[in-house]
């Protein structure tokens, strides 16, 4: 079984005790926060190595590293092959700074997008812009409702009820 499948089996288990699963996620979020603090101290450095090497470098267990790689993959300039990842798979953490911030906002991970390291990397104005961009990207805006006696939007000149409204 690939590492990612093992991670997801544990992290998203429907059979696990909800209290224990909640504790699991609290521990993981602390680990994740620590790794991001390290990465954001030097964002130009593209950290790379095998999954096992990175888990040792960040002093976290292998499954937590797999979870971290799963979470950051959408923010990477070059995504890692996480689906078939094993301990000796080469991975890299070259992330797009603004995309990472927006993905943290999308995940509602305020413990990550409010890290003090962001102050040195993005201005507060830019962070606000990115925050608003991300929040508005998920907002659905409905168009004006067409009344039955309004002209049909197809341009036929007929009333909507006599044209496309049938």
């Amino acid at each position: 079984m690939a590492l990612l499948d093992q991670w997801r089996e544990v992290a998203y288990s429907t059979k696990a005790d909800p209290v224990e699963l909640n504790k699991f996620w609290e521990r993981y979020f602390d680990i994740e926060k620590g790794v991001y603090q390290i990465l954001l101290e030097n964002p130009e450095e593209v950290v790379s190595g095998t999954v096992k090497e990175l888990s040792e470098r960040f002093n976290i267990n292998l499954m937590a590293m797999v979870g971290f790689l799963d979470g950051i993959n959408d923010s990477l300039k070059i995504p890692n092959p996480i689906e078939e990842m094993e301990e000796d798979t080469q991975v890299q953490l070259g992330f797009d700074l603004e995309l990472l911030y927006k993905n943290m906002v999308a995940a509602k991970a305020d413990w990550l997008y409010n890290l003090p390291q962001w102050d040195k990397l993005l201005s507060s104005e830019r962070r606000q812009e990115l925050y608003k961009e991300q929040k508005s990207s998920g907002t659905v805006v409905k168009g004006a409702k067409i009344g039955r006696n309004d002209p049909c939007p197809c341009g036929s000149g007929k009333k909507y009820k006599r044209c496309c409204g049938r």
Side-chain angles (χ1 to χ4, degrees):
M1 181 186 296
L3 289 176
L4 186 62
D5 294 332
Q6 292 174 33
W7 161 256
R8 289 179 176 166
E9 191 174 292
V10 171
Y12 304 109
S13 174
T14 56
K15 299 172 187 159
D17 174 36
V19 173
E20 288 302 314
L21 195 57
N22 194 31
K23 286 180 185 176
F24 167 84
W25 279 108
E26 285 176 12
R27 286 188 303 270
Y28 171 76
F29 291 148
D30 282 341
I31 292 168
E32 179 184 45
K33 182 178 178 181
V35 175
Y36 275 118
Q37 286 172 327
I38 295 167
L39 289 176
L40 292 174
E41 284 297 328
N42 190 5
E44 293 83 29
E45 178 189 358
V46 177
V47 177
S48 63
T50 65
V51 178
K52 186 168 179 56
E53 289 169 349
L54 291 183
S55 71
E56 291 167 357
R57 178 176 177 171
F58 291 109
N59 197 26
I60 61 177
N61 70 47
L62 188 66
M63 281 296 108
M65 191 69 225
V66 171
F68 181 82
L69 291 168
D70 185 23
I72 197 173
N73 208 48
D74 290 339
S75 303
L76 299 177
K77 294 175 184 172
I78 302 168
N80 290 313
I82 60 171
E83 295 295 330
E84 56 272 347
M85 191 167 52
E86 296 297 336
E87 285 186 26
D88 59 346
T89 303
Q90 281 289 328
V91 294
Q92 56 79 28
L93 301 176
F95 54 88
D96 178 309
L97 198 60
E98 292 188 351
L99 181 58
L100 178 64
Y101 187 83
K102 287 171 72 171
N103 286 340
M104 287 175 173
V105 171
K108 298 179 178 146
D110 58 336
W111 63 94
L112 297 177
Y113 66 78
N114 286 328
L115 286 171
Q117 285 81 357
W118 286 111
D119 296 340
K120 293 180 251 170
L121 303 173
L122 298 171
S123 69
S124 61
E125 294 83 17
R126 184 63 185 143
R127 289 195 313 267
Q128 283 180 328
E129 288 171 18
L130 293 170
Y131 185 89
K132 287 179 183 174
E133 272 179 42
Q134 180 56 45
K135 289 296 186 181
S136 66
S137 71
T139 305
V140 177
V141 179
K142 290 185 178 181
K145 186 175 178 183
I146 303 165
R148 39 184 274 117
N149 289 319
D150 291 341
C152 191
C154 77
S156 67
K158 297 179 182 178
K159 288 184 177 184
Y160 180 68
K161 69 181 178 186
R162 297 275 183 213
C163 191
C164 295
R166 288 187 158 193

